[in-house]
Amino acid sequence: MTDFRKSANPQGKGLAPILENLRQTTQNLSVPAKDIHRIADELFTSLFVLHSQIRFKPICGQDYWLYRKDGTYQLSLIAPEQWTPAQSGRYIGVCQLQKDLTWTLELSEQSRSDQKLITEITRQRERFDEKIRQATQVDNVLPAYIETLPYYSRILASALSYSLKQSMRKGGIISLNFTQAEQLFNAAEK
């Protein structure tokens, strides 16, 4: 008899290894206070990268390459010059996991000039901006547990949330909505 129930843990990871990976990832994490615009930018970029397929444990400060093949983004250890587009898919840009567990993405020259890709990213950013501006608290937009993400992406999304909450706490904007956090920043700038 076949059991057709959906596995709660399809990748075979137990709760103990997940919690241990999360603890190791956030251990000794020191983050600065950041203004709401920087948090929004880093959160958007990080979520963009984390929604790609990541089949390895990324290390802070290491370059990784983002590709798109068959409509799916994939983060890779292999640089574009080391294989062909037929193997890798279209090269999008270079990514790096920062010490504060946010991600950077530098689009390739070809990607920066691809109007279709730029329009897609712009639309994603507009939806993200609307979501973050409508949230009753910005920290409600931070990722908690995103079941659809692969294992390492889930760990890194949880760690990203932890990091940005620490930064928001240091900046005094935890539990504020976007407008309140923006006003606090503007008042501090005067």
Side-chain angles (χ1 to χ4, degrees):
M1 181 175 188
T2 305
D3 185 3
F4 292 104
R5 290 177 289 180
K6 183 179 176 186
S7 172
N9 193 5
Q11 294 171 320
K13 309 289 187 203
L15 184 56
I18 291 171
L19 293 174
E20 179 58 20
N21 269 331
L22 188 56
R23 186 194 65 73
Q24 288 175 3
T25 303
T26 58
Q27 186 176 12
N28 301 322
L29 182 66
S30 177
V31 297
K34 299 174 186 174
D35 71 76
I36 192 63
H37 295 283
R38 183 171 170 195
I39 286 173
D41 289 344
E42 290 178 354
L43 180 58
F44 174 77
T45 301
S46 297
L47 289 175
F48 187 86
V49 173
L50 289 173
H51 276 88
S52 64
Q53 292 291 318
I54 303 175
R55 295 189 174 108
F56 55 89
K57 184 177 181 177
I59 299 169
C60 293
Q62 174 74 38
D63 284 344
Y64 300 104
W65 293 269
L66 187 65
Y67 299 93
R68 185 173 187 172
K69 187 173 185 177
D70 300 327
T72 303
Y73 290 98
Q74 179 178 341
L75 200 62
S76 177
L77 298 162
I78 303 171
E81 60 273 3
Q82 294 175 314
W83 57 357
T84 67
Q87 295 169 304
S88 64
R90 181 163 171 245
Y91 172 56
I92 302 298
V94 63
C95 302
Q96 196 174 91
L97 179 62
Q98 303 300 303
K99 289 181 183 180
D100 66 356
L101 304 176
T102 60
W103 283 88
T104 59
L105 168 60
E106 183 180 332
L107 294 176
S108 69
E109 187 176 323
Q110 181 184 14
S111 293
R112 286 191 304 266
S113 62
D114 180 344
Q115 194 55 47
K116 186 176 177 183
L117 176 66
I118 297 301
T119 299
E120 176 187 330
I121 293 171
T122 300
R123 285 187 181 139
Q124 285 182 25
R125 180 60 195 247
E126 288 168 351
R127 287 190 298 271
F128 171 82
D129 285 345
E130 184 177 330
K131 183 178 179 179
I132 199 169
R133 287 181 180 278
Q134 290 180 353
T136 56
Q137 295 178 208
V138 173
D139 40 306
N140 290 342
V141 178
L142 298 177
Y145 176 81
I146 305 173
E147 183 178 347
T148 57
L149 292 179
Y151 178 74
Y152 287 117
S153 296
R154 279 194 311 250
I155 296 295
L156 291 167
S158 295
L160 169 68
S161 180
Y162 176 82
S163 173
L164 291 177
K165 277 185 183 179
Q166 297 304 311
S167 182
M168 291 169 71
R169 191 169 282 116
K170 287 181 179 179
I173 60 173
I174 195 88
S175 300
L176 299 180
N177 66 35
F178 190 91
T179 303
Q180 292 167 330
E182 197 173 42
Q183 289 170 345
L184 187 66
F185 174 73
N186 291 338
E189 287 290 301
K190 291 181 180 178

